[in-house]
Amino acid sequence: MARHSFLRTVCTLSFLLTGALAHMQMEVPSPLRDPHSSLDGPKDYNILTPLHGDGSDFTCKGYQWNTPLISVETYEAGGTYQLKLKGGATHGGGSCQIALSCDNGINFKVLKSIIGGCPIQKEYEFTIPPSAQSAQCLLAWTWFNKIGNREMYMNCAVVEIVGKPASSEEQLGDIDSPDMSNAAQTALAGLPDLFVANLDGVNNCKTKETVDADFDDPGADVLYGADTDGSSLKARAIGGQCT
């Protein structure tokens, strides 16, 4: 009996580990509590799991409130950079967004939308707006999987934005000060809001299984992926699911 019990335990742990590794995460920039990071601090060994369905850990799993905010990348206003993903299963692809928040994750503004085929491709370019101002910010990657449970995945990384301050007074200030952050968030006001779905405590928007999420306002920088038959999704974009 002891041997059988041990084997059942090993099989159960193997199943749980396989399930945990069956999703995706942002690799570069390294997200908060990245278990692969060399930075000191708490680690999330279940980082591949989605946000809670009730929305209680939106945004960023709440890690920006209880994790040391150490910048892992520096981006210049107007510059174009690479976001890299890693993981074992893409769940038929889906749609993703790359977004920026300079008010500690209260509001995220979209830098790039990928409609369909994400994250089958593991690297995506994004551009920091030329008008962005200097501040410590959060860069987020979100994903709505095409096949499987209706979920929302989100990783957030702490980054430094190097831009031109709005005034000479702010130029003399601390890059992490509230005034700098407020000015930096205001500079993003022209960008669309982050698309949010499948979180009951946030809104009533639900994505549909086997259908790539088509964002209400994807912004100016949009990459359309290919469907499973190789056809482009751009011609079939329907202009949003939760307007």
Side-chain angles (χ1 to χ4, degrees):
M1 291 296 292
R3 176 179 173 81
H4 291 163
S5 177
F6 172 76
L7 289 175
R8 281 197 300 271
T9 300
V10 170
C11 291
T12 300
L13 289 174
S14 176
F15 173 79
L16 291 174
L17 183 59
T18 300
L21 295 176
H23 301 306
M24 304 292 295
Q25 74 156 94
M26 183 166 64
E27 180 180 22
V28 178
S30 175
L32 287 164
R33 300 200 180 190
D34 186 354
H36 309 287
S37 172
S38 60
L39 293 175
D40 292 334
K43 308 292 186 184
D44 178 6
Y45 293 100
N46 292 314
I47 197 168
L48 303 182
T49 58
L51 297 173
H52 296 324
D54 61 4
S56 58
D57 60 350
F58 177 78
T59 60
C60 306
K61 294 188 175 181
Y63 291 161
Q64 73 272 36
W65 304 113
N66 51 27
T67 308
L69 299 181
I70 302 172
S71 298
V72 294
E73 298 286 347
T74 298
Y75 300 137
E76 294 185 1
T80 297
Y81 301 92
Q82 290 277 343
L83 181 141
K84 298 181 180 180
L85 305 171
K86 67 184 297 182
T90 59
H91 293 275
S95 297
C96 305
Q97 288 187 310
I98 301 171
L100 190 66
S101 170
C102 297
D103 59 6
N104 213 35
I106 297 173
N107 298 283
F108 274 95
K109 293 294 188 174
V110 175
L111 303 179
K112 188 183 190 77
S113 293
I114 305 104
I115 300 176
C118 183
I120 295 174
Q121 180 180 324
K122 296 299 189 298
E123 295 186 11
Y124 297 93
E125 286 189 346
F126 64 94
T127 299
I128 302 298
S131 60
Q133 296 182 19
S134 297
Q136 186 181 67
C137 302
L138 294 170
L139 187 87
W141 166 72
T142 58
W143 172 38
F144 299 93
N145 52 304
K146 185 175 182 179
I147 297 174
N149 295 332
R150 298 299 80 207
E151 297 168 327
M152 179 175 179
Y153 294 80
M154 186 176 199
N155 291 157
C156 301
V158 183
V159 299
E160 293 289 336
I161 303 298
V162 178
K164 188 174 182 179
S167 67
S168 57
E169 290 79 9
E170 289 171 343
Q171 191 170 10
L172 298 174
D174 183 351
I175 194 171
D176 300 326
S177 70
D179 287 343
M180 293 285 283
S181 296
N182 291 338
Q185 188 64 34
T186 299
L188 304 176
L191 299 174
D193 293 330
L194 182 70
F195 179 84
V196 181
N198 306 326
L199 304 180
D200 292 338
V202 179
N203 60 33
N204 59 4
C205 178
K206 296 288 184 183
T207 59
K208 299 176 182 178
E209 188 175 12
T210 74
V211 177
D212 293 295
D214 190 9
F215 305 120
D216 300 310
D217 186 356
D221 188 358
V222 183
L223 175 65
Y224 290 92
D227 207 346
T228 52
D229 62 0
S231 61
S232 172
L233 291 167
K234 185 173 184 179
R236 294 186 285 114
I238 58 176
Q241 293 179 318
C242 298
T243 300

